[in-house]
Amino acid sequence: ALLTYEEARTALDNEKEKQDNLVIRAPIDGVITSVNVSEGARLDESTALVTMQSATQFQVVATVDELDIVNVEVGQDVKVEIDAYEGETFTGTVARISGVGTVSGGVATYEVTVTLDEDPRLKDGMTASIEIVVADRQDVLLVPVEAISTSNGQKYVTLSTGLSSTVTTGVSNDEYVEILSGVSEGDAVYYQSNDLARFFAMQQRMMGGESR
């Protein structure tokens, strides 16, 4: 049977659309690292045909335990250390936090995906460790973590006079604890570190609370 002009035009357009659909266009520039299907395989819409790695944007997936994950939020700044570049710190941001934890040894951990800021030295497969900045404080009083003692649910420090002073603490990192009340700038705090007695003069500094 002969087709009318409109029918023929529609059929041609449909064939062109089918032909266009044979070309797969990636949403990013990058390198194909693996092909996940073989010729003749039956596919559905959820099938990932290939795996691609961005040529400029890299991500790190790290695990954070349940005690720290409550402080982690999407968009927080991250400090990244790459084993191949010892002594250098790269930067990034928290891009995604898994809502499903993995339990091992009675402790739940959650995957946190960090997007690294662009740097031409980065390469796929490099080993990295991260520190997530969960809080940032300017001009705060702080003491070394070793200077804080706890008794009956209260935290206190020992002053150079030998007297104890109950304190209220804020954010902390691996080295220092923010002091909200209980001591003043200039007070000397006594503590022991590596079996050595030390004194720390209270002073205002900048600090960031971090979660590894």
Side-chain angles (χ1 to χ4, degrees), residues 1-64:
L2 296 176
L3 298 177
T4 65
Y5 173 81
E6 291 299 328
E7 290 174 334
R9 183 70 181 181
T10 300
L12 177 61
D13 290 341
N14 289 339
E15 291 303 317
K16 286 183 176 180
E17 183 177 356
K18 290 180 181 179
Q19 188 175 30
D20 290 340
N21 289 338
L22 295 177
V23 179
I24 301 172
R25 292 178 174 83
I28 60 172
D29 294 333
V31 178
I32 294 176
T33 56
S34 65
V35 178
N36 305 320
V37 296
S38 56
E39 184 177 353
R42 297 181 64 86
L43 309 176
D44 57 41
E45 292 182 356
S46 63
T47 302
L49 302 181
V50 298
T51 301
M52 285 191 64
Q53 171 62 57
S54 170
T56 58
Q57 189 175 76
F58 293 88
Q59 293 184 323
V60 175
V61 179
T63 56
V64 177

Side-chain angles (χ1 to χ4, degrees), residues 2-207:
L2 296 176
L3 298 177
T4 65
Y5 173 81
E6 291 299 328
E7 290 174 334
R9 183 70 181 181
T10 300
L12 177 61
D13 290 341
N14 289 339
E15 291 303 317
K16 286 183 176 180
E17 183 177 356
K18 290 180 181 179
Q19 188 175 30
D20 290 340
N21 289 338
L22 295 177
V23 179
I24 301 172
R25 292 178 174 83
I28 60 172
D29 294 333
V31 178
I32 294 176
T33 56
S34 65
V35 178
N36 305 320
V37 296
S38 56
E39 184 177 353
R42 297 181 64 86
L43 309 176
D44 57 41
E45 292 182 356
S46 63
T47 302
L49 302 181
V50 298
T51 301
M52 285 191 64
Q53 171 62 57
S54 170
T56 58
Q57 189 175 76
F58 293 88
Q59 293 184 323
V60 175
V61 179
T63 56
V64 177
D65 68 39
E66 58 188 315
L67 297 178
D68 291 327
I69 197 66
V70 295
N71 298 316
V72 179
E73 299 177 358
V74 171
Q76 287 175 329
D77 293 333
V78 181
K79 300 175 184 178
V80 183
E81 293 184 356
I82 307 293
D83 289 359
Y85 297 104
E86 186 176 355
E88 294 194 50
T89 300
F90 297 81
T91 57
T93 55
V94 175
R96 185 168 58 254
I97 303 170
S98 173
V100 180
T102 301
V103 179
S104 178
V107 178
T109 58
Y110 297 81
E111 286 192 348
V112 174
T113 302
V114 174
T115 298
L116 277 66
D117 296 332
E118 185 175 339
D119 191 300
R121 295 173 296 174
L122 297 176
K123 292 180 173 56
D124 184 36
M126 286 183 166
T127 303
S129 59
I130 70 169
E131 290 183 347
I132 302 172
V133 181
V134 300
D136 188 46
R137 299 287 190 269
Q138 302 286 334
D139 298 326
V140 298
L141 289 175
L142 52 86
V143 297
V145 292
E146 299 95 335
I148 301 293
S149 301
T150 303
S151 178
N152 297 323
Q154 290 189 319
K155 297 178 180 179
Y156 66 93
V157 297
T158 301
L159 302 176
S160 59
T161 59
L163 299 176
S164 296
S165 178
T166 301
V167 295
T168 303
T169 59
V171 298
S172 63
N173 56 26
D174 290 341
E175 298 179 272
Y176 296 103
V177 180
E178 178 188 11
I179 301 297
L180 301 177
S181 65
V183 291
S184 302
E185 184 175 4
D187 289 344
V189 175
Y190 171 87
Y191 71 102
Q192 285 191 308
S193 177
N194 298 327
D195 296 326
L196 295 177
R198 300 178 184 272
F199 288 97
F200 181 83
M202 296 296 301
Q203 53 187 290
Q204 290 189 331
R205 295 187 182 180
M206 178 182 70
M207 72 175 299

